[in-house]
């Protein structure tokens, strides 16, 4: 299965998925603050296990390369929302962050270190950024009403559908779940 609308069914306890244009996965690892020494090739299950083995050791993220978009995936947490991380990761490029955790469902689009448009998928009429209205037609088409009308259905699935169609984002479910990807740990003191 491709696209990204399948993510909630596989990550019931939450995820954050960040796509970055034209930045190789290894460079993305360091932009997120992962130590080079911690980098290793792991399956998603092994990366999750590695994080759980040492809960005080810092978050573990998995990284991969695509055609134009590399990705960073974090199970359960949202490193991208920590102070200064969006600016650091999106410097000189474009970023799309899709977050579905218990405390912070969010969409963020950033260019060159600045948030352009951000919103909670359950409240898409409340947007932030330097150009919060940039994607109004695409949001409405994906089922994210911008006039205060409640979202019909699952807001996170609507957000993922919006990102798929607006930015052409896709991630192979079988590749993500079965293949090994570059993984790294963010040292606890950098969080």
């Amino acid at each position: 299965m491709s696209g990204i609308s399948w993510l909630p069914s596989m990550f019931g306890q939450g995820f954050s998925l960040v796509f970055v244009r034209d930045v190789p996965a290894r460079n993305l690892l360091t932009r997120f603050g992962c130590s080079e020494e911690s980098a290793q090739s792991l399956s998603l299950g092994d990366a999750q296990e590695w994080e759980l083995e040492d809960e005080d050791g810092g978050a573990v993220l998995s990284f991969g390369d695509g055609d134009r978009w590399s990705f960073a995936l974090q199970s359960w947490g949202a490193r991208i929302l920590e102070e200064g991380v969006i600016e650091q990761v999106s410097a000189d490029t474009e970023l799309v962050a899709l977050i579905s955790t218990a405390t912070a469902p969010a969409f963020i689009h950033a260019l060159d270190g600045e948030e352009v448009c951000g919103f909670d998928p359950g409240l898409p009429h409340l947007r932030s950024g330097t150009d919060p209205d940039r994607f109004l037609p695409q949001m409405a088409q994906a089922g994210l009403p911008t006039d205060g009308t409640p979202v019909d259905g699952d807001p996170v699935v609507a957000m993922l559908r919006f990102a798929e169609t607006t930015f052409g984002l896709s991630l192979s479910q079988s590749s993500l779940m079965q293949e090994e990807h570059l993984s790294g740990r963010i040292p606890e003191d950098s969080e």
Side-chain angles (χ1 to χ4, degrees):
M1 186 180 305
S2 60
I4 52 176
S5 297
W6 56 267
L7 284 160
S9 66
M10 299 302 292
F11 293 91
Q13 295 182 335
F15 64 90
S16 60
L17 178 61
V18 179
F19 288 93
V20 180
R21 187 183 294 276
D22 299 327
V23 175
R26 183 151 300 270
N27 293 357
L28 196 52
L29 177 130
T30 57
R31 284 181 181 223
F32 265 91
C34 292
S35 67
E36 269 297 328
E37 303 79 47
S38 76
Q40 53 187 302
S41 186
L42 296 172
S43 69
L44 183 62
D46 288 343
Q48 291 171 334
E49 189 174 306
W50 182 30
E51 182 170 345
L52 293 174
E53 285 172 0
D54 182 6
E55 292 183 27
D56 296 327
V60 172
L61 281 75
S62 297
F63 301 88
D65 290 309
D67 280 340
R68 302 257 348 248
W69 297 92
S70 295
F71 72 87
L73 175 67
Q74 181 179 3
S75 299
W76 315 300
R79 165 79 172 152
I80 193 65
L81 295 178
E82 294 175 18
E83 187 175 337
V85 178
I86 288 173
E87 294 84 351
Q88 182 175 312
V89 174
S90 69
D92 301 317
T93 191
E94 181 177 15
L95 169 149
V96 176
L98 306 156
I99 300 150
S100 177
T101 64
T103 58
F107 166 86
I108 300 163
H109 176 251
L111 287 170
D112 300 321
E114 282 193 308
E115 180 182 320
V116 175
C117 178
F119 59 85
D120 177 321
L123 303 167
H125 62 288
L126 302 175
R127 295 174 304 285
S128 60
T130 59
D131 189 2
D133 296 339
R134 178 176 282 198
F135 304 111
L136 293 183
Q138 296 93 331
M139 290 173 69
Q141 184 178 7
L144 294 165
T146 58
D147 61 0
T149 305
V151 175
D152 185 24
D154 184 337
V156 171
V157 171
M159 170 186 71
L160 296 171
R161 189 171 47 242
F162 159 71
E164 280 179 17
T165 58
T166 303
F167 301 97
L169 301 177
S170 185
L171 193 58
S172 164
Q173 180 179 358
S174 60
S175 170
L176 183 65
M177 304 310 280
Q178 297 170 13
E179 295 175 11
E180 291 188 347
H181 292 88
L182 181 65
S183 299
R185 183 182 292 275
I186 300 167
E188 190 66 32
D189 58 4
S190 70
E191 290 188 28

